[in-house]
Amino acid sequence: MDQRLYKATIEGNVDSLSDLIQQDPLILDRITNTTSSLETPLHIAIMLGHEQFAIEILNRKPKLAAELDSRRSSPLHLASAKGNVGIVKALLIIDSDMCFACDRDGRNPLHVAAVRGRIEVLKEMLTAKPDAALAVVNRRGGGGESILHLCVEYCQFEALKVVMENVDFGERINSRDGNGNTVLHVAVADNQIETTEYLLSIPTIQVNTPNLNGMTSMDILFQRRREMNIDLHLQESLNRSGAKENNSPRLVHRNIANPRKNAWKKLLNHQDDWLDKKRSALMVVASLIATMAFQVGIAPPVHVWDDCNTVHDIPPRSRPTYYLKVMYNYLKGDARFYIINTTSFIASLSIILLLMSGLPLKNRVFMWMLMVITWIAITAIALTYSVAVLLLTPSTHEKSINVVIGFTVFIWICLMALLLFGHTVRLFVRMVKVFVKMVKLLVKCLTPRRRVSGSVIV
């Protein structure tokens, strides 16, 4: 391409184009004699969105509307992809048959517009050549998709409605792609509820057409087993339309029909990846609990000091000793404070040690042990606080505080027991499954084999 023409095309300068044509009237004619693997100025102008420049080139050289680039894309392909309605109208006036031209992917301009969701462009081409919407994608090693398949595959619901409103597909709406899937198969497989219900409202749609694997749309629904609420909604819509199963496994059907059982099974089989996500946070929590337990153990609450009426009579140097002596006398009658606090301190240190030990913590037994120790540490520090509050509460308010703390501790213990029970059940179920597999393997290894006619029969 002439460098001056290329520069004018990049800039979209219509005046420069006019000057070049006046200087060399054959400058655009030479383009059509070059190899078809190069983009013409019209291709470049459309890709850059220079609408006036592209229309000026079309007025000067209409034959460029039929030229193909290196991907066998026509100017109408590019204008459809860009969604430039003005250029599309100009191209359709010159050569509307280019709606049937296929690029290297086997798609015509209507296919491209549908994939990109260019609604206005799609309407213009459907008005000019509605039959082009009936063409299927034609490419090597596959294809066979209709424009309806492409609309659903690329989640272009509005484009699907525009095509259906402007083209009479008749029985062709049930056409199948290279895998034998109809447009309804694709919509159900992708969980597109709105699209599925729209397709089911069309009288000519066939809900029980099997694909190459012999699966109907209902079979595909049962095979997915994801997002139970959406699947059940689709199942109800398909049932109302008379959809039937063909070869879906009963187990899958049972899982979808009983979401509570399926949810419980998913809970038991949930992957214990929480440690990888919360390892750093758990280390921080354990360190914080150890710090609090250590501090409470060696530095009792200040209320004890404040309650000592004779503290002002003691010399400053002797006050720390007197302070500890008073605190010891105050708490020595109730050893539970130090027992619970020490339990919290040792449990938190154990968590830190386990996290830094390099042991295979992804093992379910170690994982269970770590969770139990964590619960012990948290519960012990909570009980330490409760006991300290009880010991430091004046006798006049002791009864009300006992009621509040007793109720709170009871709720807390119930919650911890529930969590411990749930994880223990999960661990038990896993261990039972492993045990059953080991027994089956042992029985298989110990079962004698006999040879019959050159074959081994177990």
Side-chain angles (χ1 to χ4, degrees), residues 12 30 35 39 43 53 78 84 88 140 147 172 175 190 225 278 293 300 302 332 340 347 362 388 414 420 433 447:
R30 295 191 184 94
T35 59
E39 287 78 8
H43 286 92
F53 190 90
L78 299 180
N84 196 312
V88 168
R140 295 180 181 178
I147 191 172
R172 293 189 183 185
S175 63
D190 200 33
R225 294 189 296 178
K278 304 296 183 182
V302 296
K332 68 179 181 179
I340 298 173
K362 288 188 177 181
C414 290
L420 180 61
K433 289 183 178 180
T447 302

Side-chain angles (χ1 to χ4, degrees), residues 2 68 198 209 233 242 247 263 265 295 303 309 361 378 445:
D2 188 286
L68 306 178
Y198 176 78
T209 301
H233 187 88
N247 60 352
K265 186 176 181 180
Q295 182 68 21
H303 297 286
N309 297 324
L361 295 179
I378 296 175
C445 293

Side-chain angles (χ1 to χ4, degrees), residues 41-230:
L42 181 58
H43 286 92
I44 298 174
I46 294 174
M47 285 189 291
L48 295 177
H50 299 322
E51 181 176 335
Q52 294 301 323
F53 190 90
I55 293 176
E56 182 66 22
I57 290 181
L58 285 173
N59 293 334
R60 301 276 186 170
K61 195 67 177 178
K63 290 184 178 180
L64 291 179
E67 293 295 322
L68 306 178
D69 64 6
S70 57
R71 292 187 55 84
R72 297 191 58 80
S73 295
S74 68
L76 188 57
H77 280 92
L78 299 180
S80 300
K82 296 290 290 186
N84 196 312
V85 181
I87 299 178
V88 168
K89 289 181 179 180
L91 290 168
L92 292 175
I93 292 174
I94 294 173
D95 190 358
S96 60
D97 288 336
M98 290 305 296
C99 290
F100 295 95
C102 293
D103 60 11
R104 198 166 66 181
D105 295 325
R107 298 175 179 178
N108 64 33
L110 278 82
H111 295 150
V112 175
V115 168
R116 296 296 185 90
R118 310 302 188 188
I119 304 301
E120 296 302 322
V121 169
L122 196 57
K123 290 179 180 178
E124 292 293 335
M125 290 189 289
L126 287 173
T127 302
K129 290 292 180 180
D131 291 343
L134 299 176
V136 298
V137 176
N138 183 18
R139 63 170 178 262
R140 295 180 181 178
E145 301 101 331
S146 67
I147 191 172
L148 303 179
H149 285 90
L150 295 177
C151 289
V152 176
E153 182 180 351
Y154 289 89
C155 301
Q156 300 293 347
F157 178 60
E158 294 300 324
L160 175 68
K161 291 197 297 183
V162 169
V163 173
M164 290 298 301
E165 291 169 359
N166 290 272
V167 182
D168 182 15
F169 283 88
E171 292 297 328
R172 293 189 183 185
I173 194 176
N174 300 302
S175 63
R176 302 192 288 180
D177 61 13
N179 296 318
N181 291 317
T182 65
V183 63
L184 184 60
H185 284 99
V186 180
V188 172
D190 200 33
N191 254 341
Q192 297 186 32
I193 300 177
E194 189 177 16
T195 302
T196 301
E197 293 183 344
Y198 176 78
L199 292 172
L200 292 175
S201 66
I202 301 173
T204 54
I205 197 76
Q206 296 178 4
V207 296
N208 293 316
T209 301
N211 59 14
L212 294 183
N213 294 324
M215 301 182 67
T216 65
S217 55
M218 185 69 82
D219 293 323
I220 290 179
L221 176 67
F222 287 153
Q223 187 185 48
R224 296 184 63 258
R225 294 189 296 178
R226 294 182 303 174
E227 302 175 2
M228 299 303 300
N229 56 334
I230 297 180

Side-chain angles (χ1 to χ4, degrees), residues 348-365:
S348 58
L349 293 182
S350 301
I351 295 172
I352 298 173
L353 181 62
L354 285 174
L355 291 175
M356 298 180 63
S357 63
L359 293 174
L361 295 179
K362 288 188 177 181
N363 182 282
R364 292 188 179 276
V365 176

Side-chain angles (χ1 to χ4, degrees), residues 273-290:
D273 58 349
W274 67 274
L275 182 58
D276 293 334
K277 299 178 180 178
K278 304 296 183 182
R279 190 185 189 99
S280 300
L282 186 59
M283 178 70 77
V284 172
V285 171
S287 302
L288 181 61
I289 294 175

Side-chain angles (χ1 to χ4, degrees), residues 3-21:
Q3 291 298 320
R4 297 172 300 169
L5 178 59
Y6 180 78
K7 181 180 179 181
T9 304
I10 294 297
E11 296 175 352
N13 195 325
V14 178
D15 295 334
S16 297
L17 176 63
S18 301
D19 293 340
L20 290 173
I21 293 176

